[in-house]
């Protein structure tokens, strides 16, 4: 059954279309008795205000969109939660789109969101090669803020974590614990967060000279399944080539590696130590509590949303900012054991 329209409300209440419009938009201009009669008619007919049409006529929506890399990753769930709180406090609504780490899918989302004339866009891009498309959105009046990614340009706000520092934290921790064969598990490398975390770990271990062997095992995605497959590859290596420690580009990969090693009877951390990245809620609850590089997930979302609202509400006075948070290493059972001490014992 179709919902009632504004003309039917006016007829039911015995008033003009203008009076109904005033009740909806400027109720102070309507006498209390007439206003109540219109409201009663709205309730009786089940009229639902077509807010999207009104916003489109004004050329503006109260809807903000966020495009994330992987909605199944609890990291992004927390980022979205932080952004949503800020947008809802401002009277808007947040729509979540999942690119699935797929550039073509991300493009389709951006095209649709532009057609819908969203108020603004929060996005973690699949790659750094999409600036022209984002520039076009800005040119068409839709402000864009990058989330968990530095923008690399003064004309666009961004909120990120220093992932190079994060990679260094993980690598230095494992090297200090006596590990001399360390493997980085993660991919695709065109995702900036992955490449930065790898670069940070590589730089930290390079400073130790040839004392530490560092290798990379690329993965097709940042999922638990990809981590489990990486574990299969690890246990297939000869014992004298197998790494004694693994850094994963995110916690989902690390949980997959942990699961796979456990299936093969490899002990964590006795045989292989493990460090993840993000410190999602499941990290501490794993069968072997997972060491992880912590990011301020909800704060990333809140800060990005605040910057977006500042720009969309008062663009003339807005000053673009690039907020960079510092990560911290949370050490748990998966990497706490000191190999130097065990070797001496």
């Amino acid at each position: 059954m179709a919902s009632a329209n504004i003309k039917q409300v006016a007829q039911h209440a015995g008033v003009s279309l203008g009076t109904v419009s005033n009740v909806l938009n400027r109720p102070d201009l309507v006498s209390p008795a007439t206003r109540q009669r219109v409201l009663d008619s709205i309730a009786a007919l089940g009229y639902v205000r077509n807010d999207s049409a009104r916003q489109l006529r004004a050329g503006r929506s109260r809807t903000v969109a966020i495009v994330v890399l992987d909605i199944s990753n609890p990291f992004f769930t927390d980022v979205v939660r932080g952004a949503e709180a800020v947008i809802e406090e401002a009277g808007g609504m947040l729509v979540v789109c999942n690119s699935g780490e797929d550039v073509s899918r991300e493009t389709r989302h951006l095209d649709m969101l532009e057609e819908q004339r969203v108020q603004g866009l929060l996005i973690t891009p699949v790659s750094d090669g999409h600036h022209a498309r984002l520039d076009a959105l800005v040119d068409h009046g839709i402000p864009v803020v990058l989330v968990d990614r530095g923008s690399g340009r003064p004309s666009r706000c961004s909120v990120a974590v220093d992932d190079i520092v994060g990679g260094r934290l993980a690598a230095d921790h494992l090297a200090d614990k006596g590990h001399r064969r360390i493997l980085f598990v993660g991919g695709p490398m065109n995702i900036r967060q992955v490449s930065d975390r790898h670069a940070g770990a590589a730089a930290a271990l390079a400073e130790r000279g040839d004392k530490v062997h560092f290798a990379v095992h690329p993965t097709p995605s940042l999922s638990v399944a990809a981590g489990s497959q990486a574990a299969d590859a690890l246990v297939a290596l000869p014992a004298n080539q197998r790494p004694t420690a693994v850094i994963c580009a995110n916690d989902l990969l690390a949980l997959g590696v942990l699961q796979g090693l456990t299936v093969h009877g490899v002990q964590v951390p006795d045989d292989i130590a493990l460090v993840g990245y993000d410190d999602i809620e499941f990290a501490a609850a794993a069968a072997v509590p997972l060491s992880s590089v912590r990011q301020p997930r909800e704060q990333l979302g809140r800060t990005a949303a605040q910057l977006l609202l500042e720009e969309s509400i008062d663009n003339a006075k807005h000053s673009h900012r690039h907020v960079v948070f510092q990560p911290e290493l949370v050490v748990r059972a998966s990497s706490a054991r000191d190999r130097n001490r065990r070797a001496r014992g």
Side-chain angles (χ1 to χ4, degrees), residues 245-301:
V246 173
I247 301 169
C248 289
N250 76 353
D251 283 342
L252 293 185
L253 281 172
L255 292 171
V257 170
L258 176 61
Q259 180 186 65
L261 293 178
T262 301
V263 167
H264 288 288
V266 177
Q267 299 296 310
V268 175
D270 291 351
D271 299 322
I272 295 180
L274 188 59
V275 176
Y277 205 108
D278 291 336
D279 196 32
I280 62 176
E281 185 176 351
F282 299 127
V288 179
L290 182 66
S291 296
S292 186
V293 179
R294 175 179 292 168
Q295 301 195 76
R297 302 177 301 279
E298 287 198 30
Q299 193 173 1
L300 278 169

Side-chain angles (χ1 to χ4, degrees), residues 104-309:
S104 62
R105 186 174 178 179
E106 179 183 80
T107 300
R108 290 196 301 272
H109 283 315
L110 296 181
D111 291 344
M112 182 66 72
L113 292 171
E114 183 175 8
E115 290 176 10
Q116 295 297 316
R117 304 185 191 182
V118 292
Q119 180 180 355
L121 174 70
L122 305 170
I123 183 171
T124 304
V126 175
S127 71
D128 288 336
H130 223 165
H131 283 303
R133 184 67 188 87
L134 298 179
D135 287 341
L137 290 175
V138 174
D139 290 342
H140 296 158
I142 300 175
V144 174
V145 174
L146 300 191
V147 185
D148 197 32
R149 180 78 58 83
S151 75
R153 53 178 59 192
S155 59
R156 181 176 301 137
C157 286
S158 63
V159 180
V161 172
D162 193 331
D163 284 319
I164 291 179
V165 169
R168 294 185 68 97
L169 289 173
D172 280 334
H173 164 66
L174 292 171
D176 289 343
K177 290 294 182 182
H179 293 282
R180 296 297 176 260
R181 293 196 304 275
I182 299 175
L183 181 71
F184 181 89
V185 172
M189 281 293 175
N190 66 324
I191 297 176
R192 171 62 73 82
Q193 294 93 321
V194 176
S195 61
D196 279 356
R197 292 165 194 178
H198 170 261
L205 298 178
E207 292 171 2
R208 297 173 184 259
D210 57 3
K211 296 179 181 179
V212 181
H213 175 72
F214 184 57
V216 179
H217 180 88
T219 59
S221 67
L222 297 168
S223 64
V224 173
S228 181
Q229 292 167 3
D232 293 341
L234 292 186
V235 299
L237 292 172
N240 64 348
Q241 297 178 25
R242 188 180 295 174
T244 62
V246 173
I247 301 169
C248 289
N250 76 353
D251 283 342
L252 293 185
L253 281 172
L255 292 171
V257 170
L258 176 61
Q259 180 186 65
L261 293 178
T262 301
V263 167
H264 288 288
V266 177
Q267 299 296 310
V268 175
D270 291 351
D271 299 322
I272 295 180
L274 188 59
V275 176
Y277 205 108
D278 291 336
D279 196 32
I280 62 176
E281 185 176 351
F282 299 127
V288 179
L290 182 66
S291 296
S292 186
V293 179
R294 175 179 292 168
Q295 301 195 76
R297 302 177 301 279
E298 287 198 30
Q299 193 173 1
L300 278 169
R302 291 190 68 93
T303 304
Q306 288 164 352
L307 291 174
L308 186 71
L309 290 179

Side-chain angles (χ1 to χ4, degrees), residues 85-104:
V86 172
I87 299 302
E88 289 189 347
E89 287 169 7
M93 180 179 71
L94 185 69
V95 174
V96 182
C97 300
N98 178 37
S99 70
E101 301 174 15
D102 183 334
V103 172
S104 62

